[in-house]
Amino acid sequence: MLQGHGDDAYRYPNPIIADFSTNVWYGGEPLGLKDYIFDQWATINRYPEVMAESLTEMVAAHHQLKSGQVLINNGTTETIYLVAQAFAGKKTTIVTPAFSEYEDACTLYQHRLTFLPWAAIAQQPALSTDLVFICNPNNPTGEVFPDLENWVKNNPQTLFVVDEAFIDFTFQISSSISLINRYPNLLIMHSLTKAYAIPGLRLGYVVASEVLISQLKTMKQPWTVNTIALQAGKFIFENYRQIQIPLQKLLADKEKFNEMLSQNSTLKIHQSTTHFFLAETLKNDAAKLKQFLIEKHGLLIRDASNFRDLTKQHFRIATLSPEKNNLLIDALTEWKNLL
């Protein structure tokens, strides 16, 4: 899907004052990263490492894994397409609603697709497919599946492709990377762009068994991680403990934001364990609401109507600063009062 994602302010002539459409941490990149990257500027005069080998070693050491269990990629989207290519033509289940690139990548590589609603996985159904894609915490809902290990254990014939792009935005679960050595049918995708606010650099990694990583490497193009992204990754892991987002405050702000929005009778607010959450407009639809907010207030939301299993009324909001959250609260009050 080349269109229809969030963070699409570039498509509109109006200046955007506050962007609620992206679930990237609003506080910006870690302190010191910009200076660090500029100090490494001369690296752009050379080709990057073919497979980001030095960062691979750092990530592996961080997770106490072998380097052969880690593959650095140009964001999670590259990983999704590599997995889809490596297992072309397989029977695949996607837990929905879900990030559209799972379906797009699998369609490109002729997977035979079935879809499993999020509510159904609470029963941990037996799977008859080769792969299952699940985002945990889920995008766009912010829900978590706390008993993933049991589901993986009971379906050894199925490869679980777990997207943990938002694992840094919840207290409800921790990463399943610690399970990698226990389950050869588990592959975990991790993003470095969301919590560190560097989506423009495109950087992420995947961890799995050495057999699975070796299989993905046979599909991977060289030099997909540029030298600036590589240096950013090194900075993150060299300063890991000092640069984590203030999650407790962020989620407290989210709860206050939710409470205020819930007082608007034209909205239905959905619960979430992360800083982003779904809402529904009970007046007109999300596309019209999005246009109203852009044109009248310079505010951007994510029209979520193109997520499978959602409706034309659904939209996604990420929590920003209390001051910017108030701008959206006031604008939605105006929306409510329109004839």
Side-chain angles (χ1 to χ4, degrees), residues 68-100:
Q69 294 176 282
V70 176
L71 182 62
I72 309 296
N73 285 328
N74 181 261
T76 297
T77 298
E78 184 191 5
T79 302
I80 293 168
Y81 279 81
L82 283 175
V83 171
Q85 182 181 4
F87 295 93
K90 296 294 186 181
K91 293 171 61 179
T92 298
T93 295
I94 298 174
V95 179
T96 59
F99 183 43
S100 62

Side-chain angles (χ1 to χ4, degrees), residues 103 117-118 186 216 219 246 252 261 274-275 305-306 309 316 325:
E103 183 174 350
W118 184 272
L186 181 60
L216 295 183
M219 310 289 174
L261 290 173
T274 63
H275 70 305
S305 60
N306 63 343
D309 293 346
R316 193 189 66 203
N325 295 341

Side-chain angles (χ1 to χ4, degrees), residues 268-302:
K268 179 180 179 181
I269 306 301
H270 294 259
Q271 294 302 305
S272 162
T273 71
T274 63
H275 70 305
F276 62 87
F277 53 93
L278 279 180
E280 294 176 65
T281 175
L282 307 180
K283 179 178 182 177
N284 289 326
D285 57 37
K288 290 186 177 67
L289 173 57
K290 178 179 179 179
Q291 200 65 33
F292 164 79
L293 292 171
I294 291 171
E295 293 178 355
K296 301 296 185 181
H297 296 276
L299 306 178
L300 186 63
I301 58 171
R302 168 66 155 97

